[in-house]
Amino acid sequence: MKPDKIGDADFANYFCTYGYLYHQKDMLEDQQRMTAYHDAVRLNPALFRGKTVLDVGTGSGILAIWAAQCGARKVYAVEATYMATHAKKLVEANGLGDVVTIIQSTVEEVELPEQVDVIISEWMGYFLLRESMFDSVIVARDRWLKPGGAMFPSHATMSIAPIRTGVNSQKHAEYEDSCRGWDEFVDDTKDHYGVDMSALTETFDAEQREFFLNTSAWVDIHPSQVLGKACVICDWDLHKVTLEDIKNLDVPFELRIHETGASGPSEVGAFAGWFDVSFRGSEANPCENVVDLTTAPDANGATHWGQQAFYLSPGISAADGAHLEGRLEMQRKKENQRLYDVRLTWRQGDGEKINESVGERRNVWHIE
Amino acid sequence: MKPDKIGDADFANYFCTYGYLYHQKDMLEDQQRMTAYHDAVRLNPALFRGKTVLDVGTGSGILAIWAAQCGARKVYAVEATYMATHAKKLVEANGLGDVVTIIQSTVEEVELPEQVDVIISEWMGYFLLRESMFDSVIVARDRWLKPGGAMFPSHATMSIAPIRTGVNSQKHAEYEDSCRGWDEFVDDTKDHYGVDMSALTETFDAEQREFFLNTSAWVDIHPSQVLGKACVICDWDLHKVTLEDIKNLDVPFELRIHETGASGPSEVGAFAGWFDVSFRGSEANPCENVVDLTTAPDANGATHWGQQAFYLSPGISAADGAHLEGRLEMQRKKENQRLYDVRLTWRQGDGEKINESVGERRNVWHIE
């Protein structure tokens, strides 16, 4: 795709999803998400009463409505998609048309009559950064938040952990099946239609490898699958983080495998990644009641974000107590700034029970 | 979406699919498709030997290779996507690099050094017209086909027929379930989060109605499901058809329900639509061996095109021998010229055994 096409394709592909009520309903039915934002607002009335608020990407308008119900003087709710029309209807039906102003615009292009005391936004994507909406929130903060104003949420972290899973072997089997299918196809095409397709075998292999082995997946991991304490790889204060900080990541991690399976050493079948956010207010305007929202593995089931699994093929056979030391790099894809490549590089550290030759491994996954 | 965004979104959404070998393999494994095109070329060598050929949207390059294998002097194979690179590799691996020239371009923008004797293309989409690639073939013909030259395929028809199916009731049940789910969601959101979402109930209903009841579906119909002789609604000679002819359709149809179920009158649960093409050559250069490719219901299973089902909710309860008379309109969607809305309007005709009050019904479906 030519670079100058990216902006428009982005509009078509990204924003259009958010124009469907069905999709909004999915998010509005995520009780952990809803309860956290609702509590963050209603348990901290001092930060909203008589204040001005900006809601970035308001969607159906629910965060703006809560802010208004909590006594905000004025709420500016910005939404790029046609969903803005529905949000307006909802605001009026809830009797808040005089407090909440819905503006159909990107937040980068919006003009507000004043700066605000609070910016609230539900901007998080898979593994926090996917969708790159974080950028828009930072841009909004730099333009529209008053000095001392509070970001909702105020903090965000990204974590990874080693997990047990059989899916990595399954993915590898599917990849091999697909390659065998291609080989049969090459034979058939030669026999029946007189064309030798084998010149494309390598290309097909690469394409399938990317699809089956180098694409991360949405998962709902049970805590019992987690084989070691999670490592927090990023920890950001939303009042201070810059566009530069989140543009491309290159961060170290260290993991210890703690759980040995019944029959021999545990196998790490994947790394899992997730995020947490919390609502603490700003230094000048701290929350009376801090609220946290985690998307970590949970026995009661995942939020709609789930976790992202980065499958390993083969897995890492690591003894109890083994160390993994490495680096996570995360780069935006050239052809779509809202998607990312995640590169993990690791080696077994200097723990006592290393049962693999010490060597560096690395793998790259696409978050789709 | 703003109108000026359409072109680029189209490029991102439409052409990118065809850049994957996996997708090409799907098409190359469709034996009915492959055999028809292969036979059309190899059984009509007089039309290819020593001739010049243009392949519109060559994909992996296979049609161009066959034309070259059949003795074409020169084949120009045009492909808009990155697949052109793979096609070039394939052509060279098959020793035809001196005959086949792969050109990465849209056919609208391509410049060839000469006019051609034959234009070959596999351009057909679901229900023939979806994807609107037919347009590109007509443009190519008007610019690059010599007088008397031959189009491969040379003719195309579209057909519809009444069919028996239980899926229409199932879709209706799913639609009703979804609406009930919304009502519960409205109650929960009011109770737990203090927001009344009922203002959006009508919008949600319309969205779900469109999704479940007004979207056609890919189906593989067994011939025993067909309740009456198909009606050919369009019959085009590719040497003569114009862009105007295919832009928007408004054509009459007449159907007779011929099969009575064991227990009472047959119910027409859907209209099904499909297409046929044939390879007859041109008047000046007719094929020695005419080849046909049909996508009609087949006991041995469908081509990759399947058929399109336009589900009826409720179905039409029609006695044996009952007539349906009506009109099919097909219009491109404003927001995406490659997709269509199909509108069917019908009434029971003057057959002897009418068991419904005579009234007009109409419905619109999106072909996605």
Side-chain angles (χ1 to χ4, degrees), chain A residues 5 8-9 12-13 20-22 34 66 69 86 89-90 93-94 182 193-196 199-200 203 207-208, chain B residues 5 8-9 12-13 20-22 25 34 66 69 86 89-90 93-94 182 193-196 199-200 203 207-208:
Chain A
K5 307 272 185 188
D8 299 333
N13 291 322
Y20 287 99
L21 271 182
Y22 188 83
M34 287 285 274
W66 286 338
Q69 286 174 337
H86 303 325
K89 199 185 265 185
L90 201 64
N94 283 271
W182 173 267
Y193 306 113
V195 177
D196 178 5
L200 301 183
T203 308
E207 192 184 281
Q208 297 302 293
Chain B
K5 306 270 185 188
D8 300 333
N13 291 322
Y20 287 98
L21 271 182
Y22 189 83
K25 178 167 171 276
M34 287 286 274
W66 286 339
Q69 286 175 335
H86 303 326
K89 198 184 268 184
L90 201 65
N94 282 271
W182 174 266
Y193 306 112
V195 178
D196 178 5
L200 300 182
T203 308
E207 192 184 281
Q208 297 302 294

Side-chain angles (χ1 to χ4, degrees), chain A residues 136-183:
Chain A
S136 300
V137 173
I138 293 173
V139 168
R141 177 200 68 194
D142 290 346
R143 286 188 67 198
W144 301 113
L145 189 66
K146 288 181 189 169
M151 299 295 290
F152 270 64
S154 59
H155 293 77
T157 65
M158 295 169 69
S159 299
I160 62 166
I163 63 162
R164 187 202 326 263
T165 172
V167 176
N168 60 330
S169 320
Q170 189 187 315
K171 292 251 182 196
H172 200 269
E174 284 169 3
Y175 156 70
E176 286 184 328
D177 271 359
S178 178
C179 291
R180 260 194 300 278
W182 173 267
D183 291 340

Side-chain angles (χ1 to χ4, degrees), chain A residues 51-58 63-64 67 72-79 99-103 107 110-120 144:
Chain A
K51 300 295 175 66
T52 51
V53 178
L54 167 59
D55 178 1
V56 179
T58 195
L63 302 185
R73 176 173 66 73
K74 187 78 215 167
V75 183
Y76 304 100
V78 178
E79 170 60 33
V99 178
V100 179
T101 301
I102 304 283
I103 305 163
V107 79
V110 82
E111 289 300 332
L112 304 181
E114 58 184 329
Q115 285 201 309
V116 298
D117 300 297
V118 175
I119 291 181
I120 191 166
W144 301 113

Side-chain angles (χ1 to χ4, degrees), chain B residues 20 22 41 78 165 167-168 172 220 224 237 289 334 360 365:
Chain B
Y20 287 98
Y22 189 83
V41 176
V78 178
T165 173
V167 175
N168 60 329
H172 200 269
D220 179 1
S224 65
D237 180 341
N289 293 293
K334 276 198 203 83
E360 202 172 69
W365 295 266

Side-chain angles (χ1 to χ4, degrees), chain B residues 269-338:
Chain B
F271 294 106
W274 63 82
F275 68 88
D276 297 342
V277 296
S278 67
F279 303 83
R280 304 179 204 162
S282 65
E283 280 178 28
N285 288 285
C287 283
E288 203 176 334
N289 293 293
V290 169
V291 173
D292 297 314
L293 169 58
T294 181
T295 67
D298 183 335
N300 294 317
T303 65
H304 80 282
W305 286 286
Q307 297 89 33
Q308 284 286 307
F310 304 99
Y311 293 111
L312 297 164
S313 183
I316 305 169
S317 172
D320 194 18
H323 257 105
L324 295 180
E325 295 175 352
R327 252 168 62 227
L328 178 145
E329 294 160 89
M330 199 158 160
Q331 292 203 317
R332 295 174 195 227
K333 285 175 89 80
K334 276 198 203 83
E335 63 275 23
N336 185 339
Q337 291 287 304
R338 296 192 183 276

Side-chain angles (χ1 to χ4, degrees), chain B residues 353-364:
Chain B
K353 299 183 186 172
I354 297 169
N355 66 355
E356 276 194 317
S357 61
V358 175
E360 202 172 69
R361 274 182 65 185
R362 65 169 58 194
N363 201 11
V364 179

